[in-house]
Amino acid sequence: KQEVTQIPAALSVPEGENLVLNCSFTDSAIYNLQWFRQDPGKGLTSLLLIQSSQREQTSGRLNASLDKSSGRSTLYIAASQPGDSATYLCAVAGRFGAGTRLTVKP
Amino acid sequence: GAVVSQHPSRVICKSGTSVKIECRSLDFQATTMFWYRQFPKQSLMLMATSNEGSKATYEQGVEKDKFLINHASLTLSTLTVTSAHPEDSSFYICSAAVGGVQETQYFGPGTRLLVL
């Protein structure tokens, strides 16, 4: 059974800082990995989807990388803004990590 | 494209009643649908996976007689919480995929259930 772990559990940074969120998974035989954002009391917003054949995906200030062999993915957020404050979740084969709660201070 | 809807978005019911939540794929046919539950400040926990026309596969610890799942068509799955109790109060989210569990999932907006 696939297990997904995210670190750190929480992160607080000043506005403008670049940051990295980490996701690890136990079974490297994956088709894809998804990163989501969830605001308090809300549903999921899909951020990036990386296929197993890809190494990274970029969308605006977000960049996600995937290393299947090591069972890891990172989400890089450049020039963070207060509006980026949310919980970030990664998911593999229907399994979610516990998320990283990000706070960006003005 | 790839829009998934859920209805209702919010429901309040009395303890002992049953509540049905619908999950629809609006612009694609979903071979597989997934149901998740999320308690406050926790991540999403997969409850069950359903394939169109067959019985759902439940995760360990999820009572199949309490959480009835029906996936009668390629665009609709329903989750019925039977004899709901306050501890069933949670955020329920569905997702749909064209293929199986390894395929890209498209998530609904969620249903917030409050059992009084």
Side-chain angles (χ1 to χ4, degrees):
Chain A
K1 174 181 159 182
Q2 181 74 265
E3 293 185 7
V4 183
T5 305
Q6 288 186 249
I7 55 171
L11 182 63
S12 181
V13 301
E15 182 177 4
E17 194 162 298
N18 302 324
L19 55 99
V20 175
L21 308 181
N22 297 288
C23 173
S24 61
F25 46 94
T26 54
D27 186 350
S28 61
I30 66 171
Y31 283 12
N32 60 54
L33 180 146
Q34 290 182 265
W35 281 96
F36 297 89
R37 164 186 175 140
Q38 186 176 33
D39 293 283
K42 303 293 184 181
L44 301 177
T45 299
S46 181
L47 297 175
L48 288 165
L49 167 71
I50 311 177
Q51 300 288 354
S52 62
S53 58
Q54 298 173 319
R55 283 188 171 269
E56 64 179 324
Q57 277 287 335
T58 298
S59 176
R61 295 182 292 108
L62 304 179
N63 176 277
S65 67
L66 175 63
D67 184 344
K68 279 182 54 179
S69 61
S70 65
R72 293 180 183 178
S73 176
T74 61
L75 179 66
Y76 175 83
I77 302 178
S80 59
Q81 303 171 357
D84 294 332
S85 298
T87 296
Y88 290 80
L89 298 160
C90 73
V92 181
R95 310 287 175 178
F96 280 81
T100 294
R101 190 171 66 254
L102 173 66
T103 302
V104 181
K105 299 177 180 178
Chain B
V3 178
V4 177
S5 69
Q6 278 185 246
H7 177 79
S9 59
R10 183 183 297 266
V11 57
I12 300 174
C13 68
K14 292 182 179 180
S15 184
T17 60
S18 294
V19 176
K20 180 184 285 188
I21 303 171
E22 292 186 349
C23 177
R24 293 181 184 272
S25 56
L26 299 184
D27 50 4
F28 67 101
Q29 293 186 323
T31 305
T32 310
M33 287 188 171
F34 307 85
W35 287 95
Y36 295 85
R37 179 169 54 184
Q38 185 179 36
F39 292 108
K41 299 188 185 299
Q42 295 186 25
S43 190
L44 280 75
M45 298 301 296
L46 180 63
M47 299 175 65
T49 303
S50 73
N51 292 295
E52 184 265 338
S54 61
K55 291 184 178 180
T57 301
Y58 289 80
E59 293 297 301
Q60 191 173 6
V62 178
E63 300 175 58
K64 62 180 181 181
D65 293 332
K66 180 164 184 67
F67 298 100
L68 301 179
I69 293 173
N70 183 279
H71 191 167
S73 77
L74 288 172
T75 60
L76 173 64
S77 177
T78 60
L79 168 67
T80 301
V81 182
T82 62
S83 185
H85 288 93
E87 58 265 31
D88 298 323
S89 299
S90 187
F91 192 48
Y92 292 86
I93 304 178
C94 73
S95 69
V98 174
V101 68
Q102 290 281 10
E103 298 296 325
T104 302
Q105 294 182 49
Y106 301 95
F107 284 80
T111 296
R112 191 162 301 281
L113 170 64
L114 176 61
V115 185
L116 302 177

